[in-house]
Amino acid sequence: MQHGGSSDSAEIFQILADEYARKILLAADHGPKTAKTLSEECDASLTTIYRRVSTLQDQDLIKERNTVDSDGSHRSKFQTSLEELHVDITDGQLSLTLETRDELADNFTSLWSDLRGDD
């Protein structure tokens, strides 16, 4: 995903300037987490977590996964989809490049490696 000098880049910079958004991205990078867990780990209210998660989802920086517990209750868990972020300054222009995780491709690569016996 490329964001060159556009309003999208400015919006992403603004999102990443937010302390809670950064905390959520870091906490959710260690596996899927519920909003309650993120609230505890980020020392933020659930309202703050849901607002920031919504903003992060709008920019594809975090993904929501729905799970079903053993008792049949449904739960949403959130995981960071941002893999890398690169900022370049060239000729007075900021250019932002985001790399997100492609879980399907990663799973296929892992499966193919297992089938081939790669280490």
Short mmCIF file of all heavy atoms in Angstrom, two decimals, residues 113-114 116-119:
data_model
loop_
_atom_site.label_atom_id
_atom_site.label_comp_id
_atom_site.label_asym_id
_atom_site.label_seq_id
_atom_site.Cartn_x
_atom_site.Cartn_y
_atom_site.Cartn_z
N SER A 113 5.95 -24.74 2.39
CA SER A 113 7.25 -25.08 2.97
C SER A 113 7.16 -26.39 3.76
O SER A 113 8.07 -27.22 3.69
CB SER A 113 7.74 -23.96 3.90
OG SER A 113 8.02 -22.81 3.16
N ASP A 114 6.05 -26.57 4.48
CA ASP A 114 5.87 -27.81 5.26
C ASP A 114 5.76 -29.02 4.32
O ASP A 114 6.33 -30.08 4.59
CB ASP A 114 4.61 -27.73 6.12
CG ASP A 114 4.79 -26.78 7.30
OD1 ASP A 114 5.94 -26.38 7.60
OD2 ASP A 114 3.76 -26.44 7.91
N ARG A 116 7.01 -29.33 1.36
CA ARG A 116 8.31 -29.56 0.72
C ARG A 116 9.35 -30.04 1.72
O ARG A 116 10.41 -30.52 1.33
CB ARG A 116 8.79 -28.29 0.04
CG ARG A 116 7.96 -27.92 -1.16
CD ARG A 116 8.44 -26.70 -1.84
NE ARG A 116 9.89 -26.68 -1.96
CZ ARG A 116 10.61 -25.67 -2.37
NH1 ARG A 116 10.02 -24.56 -2.72
NH2 ARG A 116 11.91 -25.74 -2.45
N GLY A 117 9.07 -29.86 3.02
CA GLY A 117 10.03 -30.27 4.03
C GLY A 117 11.11 -29.23 4.27
O GLY A 117 12.18 -29.55 4.79
N ASP A 118 10.85 -27.96 3.87
CA ASP A 118 11.82 -26.90 4.10
C ASP A 118 11.92 -26.62 5.59
O ASP A 118 10.96 -26.75 6.33
CB ASP A 118 11.42 -25.60 3.39
CG ASP A 118 11.40 -25.77 1.88
OD1 ASP A 118 11.98 -26.76 1.38
OD2 ASP A 118 10.81 -24.90 1.19
N ASP A 119 13.09 -26.17 6.03
CA ASP A 119 13.26 -25.82 7.45
C ASP A 119 12.97 -24.38 7.68
O ASP A 119 13.08 -23.50 7.04
CB ASP A 119 14.68 -26.12 7.93
CG ASP A 119 14.90 -27.63 8.03
OD1 ASP A 119 13.90 -28.37 8.06
OD2 ASP A 119 16.06 -28.04 8.09
#
